[in-house]
């Protein structure tokens, strides 16, 4: 692991070069092929940016700010572009696509990938590897300077290897160079984690609010953040429910929650003032009742397909002038778009309380150890959120794969189990995709068999998640 080819600089340069080549290739490929390399979402972002820059009579920001000012502000509405369901800040970010270069956004997303790699490397070097159970740094002070130097080199080589899991991951670099914006959200999440590890609580709160504004799911990390901050309270060392509750509710945790909520509110309030209800609906409310009976790993898709809105009035579970029966009520509850959130939120929020509390302040490294376990907790929270989400696509996998390099130092698995986990994770996806191909490209009625494969996907991913939890040794 100390040979020059595995130096972090070489991995970084290779990652940068790979992404530049792929972006250049995407331009060449898209100009010559009907099947585009560029993701359709990137064209949606670009169209939304064009609408923002080119306001017209039918394309105006619909927020109340214009009424307050007494004149129309010269900015368009990104939601004029159908299917744009993101924060307007994303459309503003890629506006250079219109006046500078069509691939500007791809370079931004690829650059976020690289910065994410730098953050992962930094977290490994300064926070994760020094606290691992098998880290040689614990005894380095007792050895001479030569051995200390070799220990540092060894640790940097390990950090490089783990960071390469992210930077050279085909799923990561292919998705960002195709024009998906997931790397921007990943950057905000890692910046939040970095601030948390360095105990910059206010900065972490602001970044968590920004992450939640960008996409709502990072709100689940608030639970583990509060638990970590509460570990500094003197009540954290007391046993019993009252000690736990007093540690959980203290000035530091209250300030963190208020700052985070205020950041989310200010960003949302600004966007609402400029773009109005379309922002509120398309960015947040739409996802509460989103229906997607295709392109969806989730086992909920089949129920969505069966209860998809119909033009036939007889499909109404509560027909006019009829008393709803118990069976109809139960069916309506089970088919409700909000019911699917219950197991997802219970698991993703509940696992946030896994954060350990120090039992004694006499141990100086106790809090440092608690911080080093935050990536593991976030990984479990994110995995359960994605696994039980009512809509699940391949891009969502990046949400938890981002944190995987920070877990590896504390994972103690045999080679056979590692191979089994990778095979299971990839195999259940391949099993599902092979059937989804028949539905999407061949038009075959395979909804029921695809649902069965979706259930296998859930079981397989749950098995992998349990294996990771069992192998995590703190």
């Amino acid at each position: 692991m100390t040979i020059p080819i595995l130096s972090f600089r070489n991995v970084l340069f290779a990652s940068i070069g790979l992404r530049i080549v792929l972006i250049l290739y995407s331009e060449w490929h898209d100009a010559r092929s009907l099947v585009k390399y560029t993701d359709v979402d990137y064209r949606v972002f670009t169209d939304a940016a064009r609408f923002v820059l080119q306001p017209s009579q039918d394309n105006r920001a619909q927020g109340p700010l214009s009424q307050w000012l007494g004149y129309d502000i010269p900015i368009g509405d990104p939601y004029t572009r159908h299917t744009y369901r993101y924060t307007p800040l994303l459309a503003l970010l890629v506006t250079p696509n219109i006046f500078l270069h069509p691939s500007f956004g791809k370079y931004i997303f690829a650059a976020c990938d690289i910065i994410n790699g730098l953050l992962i490397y930094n977290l490994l070097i300064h926070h994760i590897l020094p606290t691992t159970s098998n880290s040689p740094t614990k005894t380095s002070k007792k050895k001479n300077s030569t051995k200390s130097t070799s220990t540092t080199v060894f640790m940097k080589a390990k950090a490089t290897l783990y960071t390469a899991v992210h930077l050279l991951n085909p799923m990561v670099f292919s998705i960002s160079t195709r024009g998906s914006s997931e790397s921007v959200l990943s950057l905000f999440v890692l910046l939040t984690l970095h601030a948390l590890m360095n105990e910059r609580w206010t900065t972490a709160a602001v970044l968590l609010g920004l992450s939640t504004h960008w996409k709502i799911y990072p709100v689940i990390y608030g639970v583990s953040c509060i638990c970590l901050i509460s570990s500094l309270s003197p009540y954290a060392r007391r046993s019993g429910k009252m000690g736990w509750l007093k540690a959980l509710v203290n000035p530091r945790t209250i300030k963190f929650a208020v700052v985070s909520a205020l950041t989310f509110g200010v960003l949302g309030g600004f966007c609402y003032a400029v773009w109005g209800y379309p922002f509120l609906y398309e960015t947040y409310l739409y996802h509460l009742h989103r229906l997607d009976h295709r392109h969806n790993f989730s086992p909920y898709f089949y129920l969505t397909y069966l209860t998809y809105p119909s033009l036939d009035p007889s499909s109404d579970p509560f027909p006019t002038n009829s008393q709803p029966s118990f069976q109809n009520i139960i069916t309506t509850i089970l088919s409700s778009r909000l019911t699917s959130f219950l197991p997802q939120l219970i698991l993703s929020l509940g696992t946030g309380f896994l954060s350990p509390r120090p039992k004694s302040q006499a141990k100086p490294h106790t809090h440092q150890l608690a911080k080093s376990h935050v990536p593991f907790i976030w990984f479990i929270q994110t995995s359960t959120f994605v696994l039980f989400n009512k809509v699940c696509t391949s891009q969502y996998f990046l949400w938890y794969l981002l944190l995987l390099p920070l877990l590896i130092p504390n994972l103690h698995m045999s080679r056979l189990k590692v191979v089994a986990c990778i095979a299971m994770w990839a195999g259940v996806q391949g099993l599902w995709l092979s059937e989804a191909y028949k539905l999407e490209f061949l038009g075959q009625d395979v909804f029921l068999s695809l649902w069965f494969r979706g259930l296998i996907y859930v079981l397989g991913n749950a098995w992998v998640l349990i294996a990771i939890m069992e192998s995590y040794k703190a």
Side-chain angles (χ1 to χ4, degrees):
M1 284 193 286
T2 60
I3 57 178
I5 196 173
L6 280 181
S7 70
F8 183 67
R9 179 182 298 180
N10 289 344
V11 171
L12 196 63
F13 286 160
S15 302
I16 295 173
L18 177 62
R19 283 162 174 79
I20 292 175
V21 168
L22 285 173
I23 293 173
L24 294 174
Y25 168 76
S26 71
E27 297 174 2
W28 179 89
H29 178 93
D30 290 350
R32 291 165 174 77
S33 176
L34 292 176
V35 181
K36 307 301 182 183
Y37 178 87
T38 301
D39 191 87
V40 66
D41 285 345
Y42 189 72
R43 294 196 290 273
V44 173
F45 303 156
T46 303
D47 290 344
R50 183 178 293 105
F51 280 121
V52 168
L53 292 178
Q54 300 173 1
S56 64
Q57 185 176 358
D58 299 325
N59 171 41
R60 289 281 183 182
Q62 303 177 34
L65 183 61
S66 297
Q67 298 177 3
W68 299 339
L69 297 176
Y71 61 87
D72 290 335
I73 56 177
I75 189 170
D77 185 2
Y79 303 105
T80 303
R81 188 2 171 138
H82 183 60
T83 72
Y84 181 78
R85 297 187 174 98
Y86 309 89
T87 170
L89 303 184
L90 176 57
L92 293 175
L93 180 65
V94 299
T95 49
N97 285 9
I98 309 304
F99 58 82
L100 190 59
H101 193 278
S103 294
F104 177 86
K106 293 182 181 180
Y107 286 106
I108 289 293
F109 302 153
C112 289
D113 262 352
I114 301 302
I115 298 174
N116 290 339
L118 292 171
L119 288 170
I120 290 172
Y121 183 81
N122 181 275
L123 289 169
L124 285 166
I125 288 292
H126 296 289
H127 298 282
I128 306 299
L129 289 175
T131 59
T132 54
S133 58
N134 57 353
S135 173
T137 57
K138 294 182 179 181
T139 58
S140 60
K141 292 183 179 180
K142 301 179 181 179
K143 300 180 180 180
N144 55 41
S145 59
T146 303
K147 291 185 178 180
S148 179
T149 302
S150 64
T151 296
T152 302
V153 172
F154 180 71
M155 187 168 66
K156 288 182 177 180
K158 290 177 69 177
T160 299
L161 189 63
Y162 300 148
T163 306
V165 172
H166 171 79
L167 288 175
L168 300 180
N169 186 330
M171 182 174 287
V172 172
F173 63 68
S174 64
I175 286 180
S176 62
T177 56
R178 292 185 64 214
S180 171
S181 64
E182 294 298 336
S183 60
V184 181
L185 176 62
S186 298
L187 174 60
F188 295 151
V189 169
L190 283 179
L191 286 173
T192 305
L193 181 60
H194 188 270
L196 205 65
M197 291 291 206
N198 289 284
E199 299 186 13
R200 298 199 297 268
W201 310 124
T202 303
T203 303
V206 171
L207 289 168
L208 182 62
L210 172 60
S211 303
T212 306
H213 167 82
W214 199 266
K215 191 163 286 187
I216 199 68
Y217 91 86
V219 71
I220 63 177
Y221 300 144
V223 177
S224 50
C225 291
I226 294 296
C227 287
L228 177 64
I229 299 172
S230 70
S231 67
L232 291 173
S233 171
Y235 292 104
R237 303 189 311 276
R238 299 184 182 181
S239 59
K241 294 181 180 179
M242 289 305 299
W244 177 80
L245 186 60
K246 289 180 179 179
L248 202 61
V249 183
N250 63 73
R252 279 193 180 126
T253 57
I254 293 174
K255 180 182 177 181
F256 182 92
V258 170
V259 170
S260 184
L262 190 62
T263 303
F264 176 79
V266 168
L267 290 172
F270 167 77
C271 292
Y272 180 82
V274 177
W275 288 282
Y277 183 74
F279 151 73
L280 191 63
Y281 176 79
E282 299 290 352
T283 307
Y284 302 119
L285 299 181
Y286 165 79
H287 298 281
L288 292 178
H289 63 82
R290 176 181 177 183
L291 295 178
D292 192 346
H293 60 286
R294 298 191 180 190
H295 307 290
N296 193 352
F297 285 94
S298 171
Y300 292 112
F301 99 93
Y302 189 59
L303 184 59
T304 301
Y305 168 70
L306 293 177
T307 59
Y308 204 73
S310 173
L311 297 177
D312 183 6
S314 63
S315 64
D316 188 355
F318 299 121
T320 307
N321 300 325
S322 67
Q323 190 71 20
S325 66
F326 177 77
Q327 181 180 356
N328 285 337
I329 294 175
I330 296 298
T331 301
T332 302
I333 293 175
L334 292 177
S335 61
S336 171
R337 302 158 192 175
L338 300 179
T339 303
S340 61
F341 287 113
L342 287 177
Q344 179 190 35
L345 293 180
I346 289 173
L347 288 170
S348 58
L349 292 176
T351 50
F353 290 101
L354 291 173
S355 181
R357 289 187 297 156
K359 297 180 180 179
S360 173
Q361 215 164 9
K363 299 179 181 180
H365 298 297
T366 302
H367 189 64
Q368 180 68 18
L369 289 170
K371 289 191 298 182
S372 70
H373 302 320
V374 172
F376 169 71
I377 298 169
W378 282 19
F379 180 86
I380 301 301
Q381 287 185 276
T382 313
S383 298
T384 53
F385 185 91
V386 171
L387 185 58
F388 294 96
N389 196 24
K390 67 175 181 178
V391 177
C392 181
T393 64
S394 297
Q395 292 182 2
Y396 294 7
F397 302 157
L398 295 182
W399 297 354
Y400 59 80
L401 289 178
L402 173 72
L403 301 166
L404 184 60
L406 303 175
L407 266 67
I408 296 177
N410 280 314
L411 291 182
H412 296 258
M413 283 188 180
S414 65
R415 292 182 180 179
L416 181 60
K417 195 168 186 178
V418 170
V419 172
C421 286
I422 295 175
M424 177 65 74
W425 185 79
V428 292
Q429 291 181 50
L431 183 69
W432 187 92
L433 290 170
S434 64
E435 197 72 0
Y437 172 82
K438 299 177 183 178
L439 173 65
E440 297 300 328
F441 292 95
L442 303 181
Q444 299 180 10
D445 183 5
V446 292
F447 284 99
L448 183 59
S449 59
L450 189 60
W451 177 62
F452 283 128
R453 297 188 183 212
L455 296 179
I456 296 174
Y457 158 83
V458 172
L459 293 175
N461 277 265
W463 182 86
V464 173
L465 183 58
I466 291 171
I468 290 175
M469 294 176 70
E470 290 178 342
S471 303
Y472 186 84
K473 306 297 182 183

